[in-house]
Amino acid sequence: MGRSRRTLPEELLLLALDPATGTTAQPQSLDLGLAGAQLVELALAGRIAPDGDRIAVVQPRPTGDPTLDCALELLRRRGAPVRAVHWIGGPRLGLRQVYLAHLERCGMVAAVAGQMCGVLPTTRYQATDNAVTREIRGRLDSAIRTGVPPDPRTAALAALAHAVGLGKHLYPGNEGRSSRSRLRDLIRHDPMGGLVAHAVMDVQNGAAAQPRRAPAQAGPGVRSAASEPARGVPMQPRRGAGAMARAVVH
């Protein structure tokens, strides 16, 4: 995968960055959205594919993006398709800090050191080129305004933005209500994005810990999802630990 195109996790994080404060909107759910965005990006790259409500590795060849390849390798090690809700809800390092450090190394954001209450050190992040964020936002705005089905990448970005609660950040107030509704509706235009977005929302609603009910008529040898315990995923190895150690973003 070349670096000429921004990945979905990068775009989702840039959308969430507040240009005025240098903090991220919806920080608690953003890690889940970034994990989901990795799955969609890997699917767009032909490395994984949906298998019902599960994710299967179909091509383990690395993409060239270290962070995505870490996720791909973890999926490959599972040896069997994994439920999207279990992957997204599994224990992992904070992807928000991982991607902020990554964007800083790429020169897409600049870290600004500060203090909270005049004592606690903090690091906030400012986009170095607001035109990039405007371009990403413009794709969403166009899809919402025109009603024309967007490309899969934009549809997936819209689905993830809705899933993590960025609608009120992007389209605030009563005047943004119709735009938030149309943002939610874009979820239907990309099956993979829809699957992942629903998994993100399920994790936030606590559904990841609830086993699925077995089909009413399961034939011999058919494995029931309800018979499997919820499984987490291994933590991702630390990358850019030095940059991450000072990232305190609210």
Side-chain angles (χ1 to χ4, degrees):
M1 177 182 297
R3 293 302 302 145
S4 60
R5 173 184 289 179
R6 294 176 301 273
T7 65
L8 274 174
E10 293 167 0
E11 291 194 331
L12 183 65
L13 184 52
L14 287 171
L15 273 182
L17 271 180
D18 188 322
T21 65
T23 61
T24 54
Q26 301 300 116
Q28 300 304 317
S29 57
L30 193 55
D31 276 0
L32 303 177
L34 292 171
Q38 287 185 321
L39 293 181
V40 179
E41 190 65 52
L42 288 171
L44 290 171
R47 300 315 196 265
I48 64 174
D51 181 6
D53 67 344
R54 296 171 182 263
I55 304 298
V57 175
V58 295
Q59 171 54 266
R61 180 169 55 86
T63 66
D65 181 294
T67 312
L68 288 175
D69 288 340
C70 177
L72 179 62
E73 176 62 14
L74 290 173
L75 285 166
R76 186 193 66 79
R77 290 179 187 174
R78 296 297 296 269
V82 58
R83 283 188 64 198
V85 71
H86 289 164
W87 169 263
I88 290 170
R92 64 186 71 247
L93 288 175
L95 284 180
R96 186 165 45 106
Q97 281 77 17
V98 170
Y99 271 103
L100 282 169
H102 168 72
L103 290 177
E104 183 187 9
R105 290 193 299 272
C106 292
M108 298 180 70
V109 301
V112 180
Q115 288 184 330
M116 180 185 298
C117 302
V119 178
L120 298 176
T122 63
T123 303
R124 302 182 186 275
Y125 292 84
Q126 300 288 343
T128 57
D129 186 354
N130 289 328
V132 174
T133 304
R134 287 196 297 269
E135 184 274 328
I136 299 169
R137 172 70 179 270
R139 283 162 38 211
L140 291 185
D141 291 344
S142 178
I144 288 173
R145 183 179 64 254
T146 65
V148 175
D151 62 276
R153 181 175 293 274
T154 301
L157 181 62
L160 289 163
H162 166 70
V164 301
L166 288 183
K168 290 184 178 181
H169 167 69
L170 298 172
Y171 306 103
N174 288 332
E175 65 275 14
R177 182 176 299 174
S178 60
S179 293
R180 294 195 298 270
S181 177
R182 288 193 288 270
L183 179 72
R184 180 195 63 220
D185 292 342
L186 290 175
I187 199 170
R188 70 182 187 274
H189 289 295
D190 180 60
M192 184 66 181
L195 167 66
V196 169
H198 282 298
V200 169
M201 291 184 283
D202 283 347
V203 172
Q204 294 180 79
N205 293 330
Q210 300 174 7
R212 282 202 165 189
R213 183 176 300 174
Q217 294 182 346
V222 175
R223 181 177 59 182
S224 166
S227 66
E228 296 186 358
R231 295 172 294 177
V233 296
M235 285 188 175
Q236 297 190 30
R238 291 182 179 270
R239 293 183 179 275
M244 283 167 28
R246 54 189 175 79
V248 181
V249 184
H250 302 280

